[in-house]
Amino acid sequence: MFCLPACCLLIALPGLRNAEYHPLNEHNRRLASGQFAQLRHGPVHFQLLGPDQGELLVMLHGFSVPSYGFERNAMWLARQGYQMLCFDFYGRGYSARPRTDYTPELLVEQLHELISYLGLRTPFHLLGLSMGGCIAANYTRRYPEQVLSTILLAPLSKRINAGPFRFGKLGRLLCYSWFIPRMPNQQLKEFVDPMGQEDWAYRFIASKNRCTLKAFGMPSTAP
């Protein structure tokens, strides 16, 4: 008798704990700061800061943390006179989650289309962190005439060890029920200066979906 409920709970746990399984709708997008651009694969969340006449610097985020990870950097650089563009890649943050293959080419074209949509000047400076470094390098190769400089921070340069994902369905179960839900708090421990980032875990989950906050044992309103 005990085995059946335990098995059901084990099967349901990834769906309850994994933010990626919950839909992102207009209600949740209203929680986001910044603006949205309606591109070919759906709405893209972005923030454009700084003077219009400043040199444009585009910041590309990594795999796990959306564009808000650059918030402090972008605001400081905007005060120095740069025009700053930060946005969420497809499948991350508040941007659309199209049902398609998530390839470097998809994300390169997302940036290219966003630059055109906003009517921004080229060439511009391009900064990529981790996975964003891979996209920055691919963008520079695809559109060299549009890039003034390319800055790579700990760039992803080769296929990485996907940890438990290597072990098929059991690996996915472990990732979505244990590893991924622990990510925001683990990231917070790695900050050089965590002061002022007390809401980091909340924002990480809220950028997925409000209902997911309850699955993570968090309130549905900001702390």
Side-chain angles (χ1 to χ4, degrees):
M1 291 293 292
F2 173 76
C3 291
L4 182 58
C7 289
C8 291
L9 178 61
L10 190 63
I11 293 171
L13 194 57
L16 294 172
R17 297 274 286 171
N18 175 28
E20 298 295 329
Y21 285 155
H22 295 287
L24 181 61
N25 52 38
E26 293 306 314
H27 171 73
N28 290 296
R29 285 196 173 97
R30 284 195 292 269
L31 301 174
S33 57
Q35 304 174 67
F36 288 88
Q38 188 64 42
L39 302 187
R40 178 174 42 163
H41 291 287
V44 170
H45 174 237
F46 72 92
Q47 293 198 66
L48 192 60
L49 307 172
D52 293 343
Q53 68 274 16
E55 289 190 17
L56 177 62
L57 171 55
V58 180
M59 306 184 84
L60 306 181
H61 66 78
F63 171 76
S64 61
V65 180
S67 60
Y68 70 77
F70 287 129
E71 219 168 52
R72 290 186 179 185
N73 312 82
M75 289 190 294
W76 187 87
L77 287 165
R79 291 195 296 269
Q80 310 313 306
Y82 285 94
Q83 185 179 34
M84 303 300 301
L85 174 62
C86 302
F87 69 97
D88 294 335
F89 283 127
Y90 288 130
R92 293 290 176 266
Y94 289 98
S95 288
R97 300 172 184 173
R99 291 184 178 276
T100 186
D101 291 335
Y102 284 75
T103 63
E105 291 73 25
L106 173 73
L107 304 183
V108 163
E109 291 310 312
Q110 179 190 4
L111 171 56
H112 187 247
E113 188 179 357
L114 180 60
I115 292 292
S116 176
Y117 177 93
L118 296 175
L120 297 174
R121 298 181 315 282
T122 60
F124 53 85
H125 302 284
L126 188 56
L127 180 148
L129 169 66
S130 188
M131 183 190 78
C134 169
I135 307 307
N138 276 272
Y139 192 96
T140 302
R141 182 176 62 180
R142 177 70 176 84
Y143 300 105
E145 73 284 355
Q146 294 192 1
V147 181
L148 273 175
S149 66
T150 305
I151 306 163
L152 306 179
L153 302 178
L156 178 66
S157 60
K158 60 182 179 181
R159 187 179 296 274
I160 63 172
N161 182 342
F165 275 114
R166 293 175 297 163
F167 304 113
K169 293 182 179 179
L170 177 59
R172 292 176 64 85
L173 179 69
L174 291 172
C175 280
Y176 289 132
S177 60
W178 181 76
F179 177 72
I180 292 176
R182 295 176 68 247
M183 287 180 67
N185 285 319
Q186 292 299 317
Q187 291 165 348
L188 189 59
K189 293 177 182 178
E190 297 176 1
F191 277 32
V192 174
D193 179 17
M195 296 298 293
Q197 299 287 359
E198 291 80 5
D199 64 343
W200 180 266
Y202 174 89
R203 294 184 68 184
F204 185 91
I205 305 307
S207 69
K208 308 299 183 187
N209 191 302
R210 202 171 194 173
C211 67
T212 312
L213 294 166
K214 295 182 179 179
F216 278 72
M218 305 177 73
S220 60
T221 55

